[in-house]
Amino acid sequence: MVKVKGNKMNIRKEEERDFEEIKKINDISFGGEFEGKLVANLRAGKNFILSLVAEKDGKIIGHIMYSRIKIGGIDSTALAPVCVIPEYQNMGIGSRLIEKSLEMLKNMGEKSVIVLGHDKYYPKFGFETASKYGIKCPYDVPDEAFMALELEKDSLKSGMVEYGEEFSM
């Protein structure tokens, strides 16, 4: 159990019994069904790596998922999606999910992570603009929103990110 601003919460790997609830909280958090469908696609696909939930009093309140991508043909990891249901946002839950999952990825031997997200949020975990490494996004996104993190020093090389077929929805 970890404490989040006075609230105790548990972070653990997802289980099959969690799948429907994970879909719901992604749909609620992102205001649509895309992320919930993406999670199901990633979980069922060949590129799935890790999925964690945050729960409080037996209720899932947050979720994070990682999948395999390639950068110029070299294995890397994509963080997508991460969410916390609205009534539990701004309590440090997303941060704890990211910190715990990055620690687990490093222990699993993963070398780097790519994220497309808020440029004011992810740098506090060590993410930098991917362009600093010569890494390009296949989508038209602002440079500052496409970020990379080395879990192992000098593991990032330049190239185009290749997302798995699960992202083609």
Side-chain angles (χ1 to χ4, degrees):
M1 290 288 248
V2 291
K3 260 188 139 175
V4 178
K5 294 190 178 177
N7 296 315
K8 288 187 181 182
M9 142 185 98
N10 184 40
I11 295 178
R12 62 171 173 79
K13 286 185 177 180
E14 71 170 20
E15 298 172 6
E16 190 173 341
R17 65 184 168 97
D18 304 325
F19 293 176
E20 189 57 37
E21 193 63 25
I22 289 170
K23 181 188 179 323
K24 283 183 199 170
I25 67 167
N26 274 277
D27 291 348
I28 290 166
S29 298
F30 290 104
E33 295 186 358
F34 178 82
E35 279 77 10
K37 288 178 183 174
L38 176 62
V39 166
N41 282 354
L42 290 170
R43 185 184 295 120
K46 65 181 182 191
N47 294 305
F48 174 81
I49 295 176
L50 178 67
S51 182
L52 301 177
V53 296
E55 64 181 357
K56 181 174 177 358
D57 302 325
K59 176 185 176 187
I60 296 175
I61 57 173
H63 174 250
I64 193 166
M65 185 175 259
Y66 293 86
S67 61
R68 175 72 56 227
I69 58 170
K70 295 201 179 279
I71 303 172
I74 297 171
D75 282 351
S76 186
T77 310
L79 185 173
V82 62
C83 68
V84 175
I85 56 176
E87 59 264 35
Y88 286 95
Q89 290 177 0
N90 301 310
M91 298 174 83
I93 296 164
S95 293
R96 285 298 298 132
L97 280 165
I98 292 169
E99 291 163 356
K100 177 71 173 171
S101 59
L102 290 176
E103 176 186 316
M104 290 174 77
L105 288 172
K106 195 170 187 177
N107 290 337
M108 293 165 62
E110 297 297 329
K111 297 178 179 2
S112 61
V113 179
I114 298 293
V115 68
L116 176 56
H118 297 288
D119 63 321
K120 303 291 186 259
Y121 184 68
Y122 290 97
K124 69 181 178 181
F125 305 103
F127 284 90
E128 303 173 281
T129 56
S131 61
K132 172 186 173 183
Y133 298 94
I135 298 170
K136 296 179 179 70
C137 183
Y139 311 118
D140 184 21
V141 297
D143 184 60
E144 63 275 5
F146 191 61
M147 294 168 269
L149 172 68
E150 288 187 323
L151 298 175
E152 181 181 289
K153 189 169 174 37
D154 298 325
S155 62
L156 284 169
K157 307 293 183 222
S158 65
M160 177 67 73
V161 168
E162 303 162 41
Y163 286 94
E165 60 191 22
E166 298 89 350
F167 281 87
S168 302
M169 297 184 354

